[in-house]
Amino acid sequence: MATTVRRTVLTLPGAPVGPENPLPPLRPLGELHRLDEHERRALPADMARQTGYGHLRSVLPARLLDGYGRERAATDLDAIVIENDRLRATVLPGLGGRVYSLHHKPTGRELLYRNPVFQPAAFALNGAWFSGGIEWNLGATGHTTLSCAPLHAACVPAPDGGEMLRLWEWERLRDTPFQVDLWLPEGSDFLHVGVRIRNPHDRPVPVYWWSNIAVPEDARTRVLTPAEEAWHFAYEGRLRRVPVPEWEGTDRTYPLRGEHAADFFYEVPDGARRWIASLDADGHGLVQTSTDLLRGRKLFLWGAGRGGRRWQEWLTEPGTGGYAEIQAGLARTQLEHVQLEAGGEFSWLEAYGPLAAEPSAVHGTDWAAARAAAQSRLETALPRADVEAAYAAWLASADTEPKESLAAGSGWGALELARGGYALPGTPFEASTLGEAQRPWLELLRAGELPGVWADAAPGASAADAGAVGGAAAGGVSERACAGVCKDPGPSLVSSAWRELLESAHPGAAVDYHLGVAQWHAGDRAQATRSWERSLRAAESPWALRCLGVAAGESGDGERAADLLLRAVGLVTAGGAGSAGGAPERVLAAFAREAVDALLACGRAADARGVLAELPERVRARGRFRLLEAQVSLAAGDAAGARALLDSGIEVADLREGDEVLSDLWNAVAARLAPESGAADPLPGHYDFRMRPGRD
């Protein structure tokens, strides 16, 4: 059959992603994949340089996605199917362009780990992410902010004259447009993927890319790649060179033979073919290969320990089987960013398909023979020269304009083209995609003014007055005062170009608020504070108060931070969530969560309890707020009350990767309640998300 590209709908049990968190993410990422200066000095020179380059202060201008839960219902997901007589690939354009399934027709095998549910979890840089399939990670170390975002999608003529699916978007962390072209040459067993990242600016930008492939995992699954050494990185934060396959008496190429979650970044020798495969007990599985620019290869394993198994259940459903991840990236490790010069681009070709090798060779004790057997079968199935030829043919058609739109992404690329006038053949960002989020910024660009969102709000207290406020959360704040200032000011833009436009605009509550966010992002904290103080003088908004609270906390003044955040949540709760002029629940929840955290940090459990008491029951019933209630109870000396909440069951839907808050709270409560001569109650399995050695 001729290769076809068609739209369809995939129905899964799923939890809605939910609304964006309206508060700009000002705080550091808490990045797990970062080394200190001492660790970097021991690395090869290029790796040392790239591990210290391009780290983010925050995920601005993206917003956090933390509004999902864990209640699932039948959910229709828009999908695009690419199919020939050998393979069928199912792609989700509305969820980062994820390849959900890769089905090999002749053998009836699913080559990927196909998650039976859509369950968001807090693994992306900005929160919501889901497991399974092939994902395209770019921007900065971690899962992309586009994990649960729509991409533009269209049909484009393939290099061989057939049909090709093009995905593209404007990656906002680095302001770099990218495209992913997927096609199946007629009669091919391999999905071909051409990738291009462009830098349209007059300055270099840091670039990060890892293609992340989830593959089924069992006790006989083995990962093979042409390497004899790897860089091991785990959640204790050390990067060290280790031998492959055996290290500390265990063959680490079998994912389930590791106890704890870990990364193995393989040292593929210069000149060697780039490939990685995951094969089962019968020698069958998936192989990924690429042109040489995509140099890195990696295995991520959850491990056989209780914490890793709990995470696997959390991300899918108990009893559905686990998965490991094999990956391919631009650098040797995911701790690195690569510099892309002004006006330059990175491009390469990847191929994904089935691989079958003799089981006795794959699972033999001779590592050289095992990988040679796999590479020989790969060379027979898809010669290296054919990959290079396919790349050259694709690159010649990478600028071809789309002929039929299949899905729409965001309007941010169209806004950036309106500002920068960039020429990006092959990836059109049409003005028709501009939406409500972009309209105020388009007005700033065209008229030099940013429409005010709090024009009807009365001028507020000075920043000094706000900093002195304490006591009850909503004391002295009228519902009328909330009518204007509780309105979401919308996302902030933070690049130098937009910051300059804000600096030139007529000052006001909204302009100075957004200007402060941009200045904070640029590292000018003093100027950001002054801008937010000006915003407050124009209109006392909870948004500027909250930003000043974060600034105070980051400077070490916890009491002032708590006072400012308490005042902010007081403004938001005054009208009541959902009331006329009041704040939406998503706004109320975001402010309340930060206020309670700040109050607990400086020992003000009574004020924290007061904030929680003002929340509607449906907000307090969320797992995150039940956790906060338990933390407040413990801080107030009521360990029994905290234990009762834990015993009743707390599910924190937005539990962050590596976060041990549940186990820490359980252990603290159990220790407080344990008799002096007895032992504390052991941690229940459903609270055990620990991923570090020595923590179980």
Side-chain angles (χ1 to χ4, degrees):
M1 62 177 288
T3 300
T4 60
V5 177
R6 58 183 171 85
R7 281 185 275 202
T8 188
V9 173
L10 178 67
T11 302
L12 294 175
V17 173
E20 293 178 332
N21 186 318
L23 302 180
L26 301 176
R27 293 183 176 86
L29 294 172
E31 175 54 53
L32 297 172
H33 292 81
R34 187 174 292 194
L35 300 176
D36 60 28
E37 185 62 33
H38 174 74
E39 288 272 345
R40 286 204 301 272
R41 280 199 295 267
L43 300 176
D46 62 333
M47 188 185 293
R49 181 178 63 255
Q50 291 180 169
T51 56
Y53 169 64
H55 290 288
L56 299 176
R57 294 189 180 95
S58 75
V59 295
L60 286 165
R63 282 181 157 188
L64 300 182
L65 288 172
D66 57 7
Y68 50 85
R70 292 190 58 80
E71 292 185 5
R72 297 194 285 259
T75 302
D76 289 341
L77 302 174
D78 289 334
I80 299 172
V81 173
I82 312 166
E83 188 169 11
N84 67 3
D85 58 345
R86 310 288 295 176
L87 281 176
R88 181 170 61 248
T90 304
V91 180
L92 303 178
L95 294 168
R98 182 82 57 103
V99 179
Y100 174 76
S101 169
L102 190 59
H103 178 79
H104 188 233
K105 295 181 179 181
T107 61
R109 290 178 177 270
E110 172 59 47
L111 301 179
L112 303 174
Y113 171 75
R114 187 174 55 189
N115 198 331
V117 301
F118 172 67
Q119 177 56 62
F123 277 62
L125 287 168
N126 63 333
W129 169 87
F130 64 106
S131 64
I134 306 171
E135 59 178 305
W136 319 110
N137 288 316
L138 76 161
T141 297
H143 295 281
T144 177
T145 59
L146 297 168
S147 292
C148 289
L151 304 189
H152 301 282
C155 269
V156 182
D160 60 0
E163 296 290 325
M164 180 165 69
L165 170 64
R166 174 163 298 163
L167 306 167
W168 73 98
E169 242 308 351
W170 189 276
E171 200 288 310
R172 301 180 67 210
L173 297 184
R174 307 298 190 184
D175 279 329
T176 49
F178 73 99
Q179 72 188 75
V180 179
D181 289 352
L182 305 98
W183 79 100
L184 291 168
E186 187 173 353
S188 176
D189 279 324
F190 284 82
L191 175 67
H192 286 47
V193 182
V195 182
R196 178 166 64 167
I197 303 171
R198 290 189 271 196
N199 177 11
H201 309 292
D202 58 3
R203 66 186 188 281
V205 295
V207 169
Y208 172 95
W209 180 281
W210 282 80
S211 303
N212 186 350
I213 310 132
V215 290
E217 166 204 71
D218 62 31
R220 293 297 306 278
T221 298
R222 192 178 203 188
V223 172
L224 299 104
T225 194
E228 296 183 351
E229 290 184 311
W231 294 91
H232 172 265
F233 188 83
Y235 286 81
E236 69 268 25
R238 291 183 58 201
L239 183 67
R240 49 187 165 173
R241 195 191 297 257
V242 300
V244 176
E246 188 172 307
W247 175 50
E248 294 184 338
T250 301
D251 187 334
R252 306 289 175 163
T253 61
Y254 290 89
L256 279 178
R257 295 186 186 178
E259 183 68 15
H260 299 282
D263 300 325
F264 289 90
F265 300 103
Y266 295 109
E267 276 280 7
V268 179
D270 290 342
R273 184 173 185 179
R274 308 309 197 198
W275 64 273
I276 189 167
S278 174
L279 304 181
D280 63 16
D282 298 324
H284 292 271
L286 174 135
V287 65
Q288 185 271 1
T289 188
S290 72
T291 49
D292 288 356
L293 183 68
L294 205 65
R295 67 173 298 183
R297 293 298 184 274
K298 171 192 166 183
L299 163 65
F300 169 77
L301 55 93
W302 286 104
R306 195 165 74 155
R309 293 300 97 191
R310 178 64 178 129
W311 272 115
Q312 294 253 25
E313 294 176 351
W314 187 255
L315 297 173
T316 177
E317 283 192 331
T320 56
Y323 72 94
E325 293 171 358
I326 56 175
Q327 303 186 24
L330 281 173
R332 279 184 288 188
T333 74
Q334 287 174 336
L335 289 73
E336 303 169 69
H337 297 89
V338 180
Q339 184 167 287
L340 178 56
E341 298 301 332
E345 65 179 50
F346 288 144
S347 63
W348 63 91
L349 185 125
E350 305 180 46
Y352 298 81
L355 190 70
E358 180 60 41
S360 60
V362 167
H363 298 285
T365 57
D366 187 332
W367 172 241
R371 65 179 194 262
Q375 182 160 321
S376 175
R377 296 304 294 268
L378 170 61
E379 188 64 22
T380 299
L382 184 64
R384 186 178 188 180
D386 287 4
V387 174
E388 296 291 343
Y391 169 65
W394 166 74
L395 196 58
S397 63
D399 286 349
T400 303
E401 293 299 328
K403 64 177 186 176
E404 177 190 354
S405 176
L406 298 174
S410 77
W412 295 113
L415 181 67
E416 292 299 332
L417 260 62
R419 185 197 58 77
Y422 306 117
L424 298 170
T427 54
F429 294 94
E430 303 290 353
S432 60
T433 61
L434 291 163
E436 288 300 318
Q438 292 84 38
R439 285 201 177 92
W441 299 96
L442 196 61
E443 184 70 15
L444 175 65
L445 181 64
R446 291 174 173 172
E449 297 295 333
L450 190 70
V453 291
W454 306 315
D456 56 343
S462 69
D465 293 337
V469 173
V477 183
S478 68
E479 181 173 342
R480 183 175 178 275
C482 186
V485 296
C486 283
K487 184 177 180 181
D488 183 351
S492 298
L493 296 185
V494 296
S495 70
S496 59
W498 289 107
R499 187 173 72 249
E500 290 169 5
L501 288 169
L502 287 167
E503 288 169 345
S504 301
H506 185 73
V511 167
D512 287 321
Y513 162 78
H514 286 297
L515 177 57
V517 174
Q519 291 164 334
W520 181 271
H521 177 73
D524 191 348
R525 295 188 171 190
Q527 194 59 53
T529 298
R530 286 191 284 272
S531 294
W532 291 325
E533 288 171 348
R534 284 197 308 272
S535 178
L536 272 186
R537 287 193 289 272
E540 187 186 21
S541 75
W543 311 92
L545 282 168
R546 178 263 176 178
C547 289
L548 286 169
V550 171
E554 290 296 302
S555 67
D557 192 345
E559 284 289 345
R560 177 171 168 76
D563 286 340
L564 288 161
L565 291 168
L566 189 60
R567 178 66 181 176
V569 79
L571 281 171
V572 175
T573 56
S579 67
E585 272 190 15
R586 67 186 179 91
V587 173
L588 180 57
F591 277 94
R593 175 177 171 178
E594 289 204 356
V596 171
D597 281 339
L599 291 163
L600 284 175
C602 59
R604 292 164 60 175
D607 284 341
R609 180 162 280 163
V611 172
L612 291 175
E614 293 288 331
L615 299 175
E617 179 57 34
R618 58 183 171 270
V619 175
R620 292 181 62 184
R622 298 179 190 173
R624 174 60 66 177
F625 286 89
R626 285 170 55 79
L627 171 63
L628 288 173
E629 187 176 352
Q631 291 173 315
V632 167
S633 295
L634 181 62
D638 183 11
R643 177 59 179 266
L645 283 163
L646 287 166
D647 286 344
S648 67
I650 298 176
E651 276 198 339
V652 183
D654 61 333
L655 192 67
R656 191 78 180 163
E657 178 185 9
D659 194 343
E660 297 174 349
V661 61
L662 285 168
S663 53
D664 287 348
L665 177 62
W666 175 274
N667 291 333
V669 170
R672 189 81 61 87
L673 294 175
E676 291 185 9
S677 59
D681 290 343
L683 178 69
H686 60 280
Y687 289 144
D688 192 352
F689 292 91
R690 297 171 297 180
M691 301 172 73
R692 290 184 290 165
R695 299 292 288 182
D696 51 11

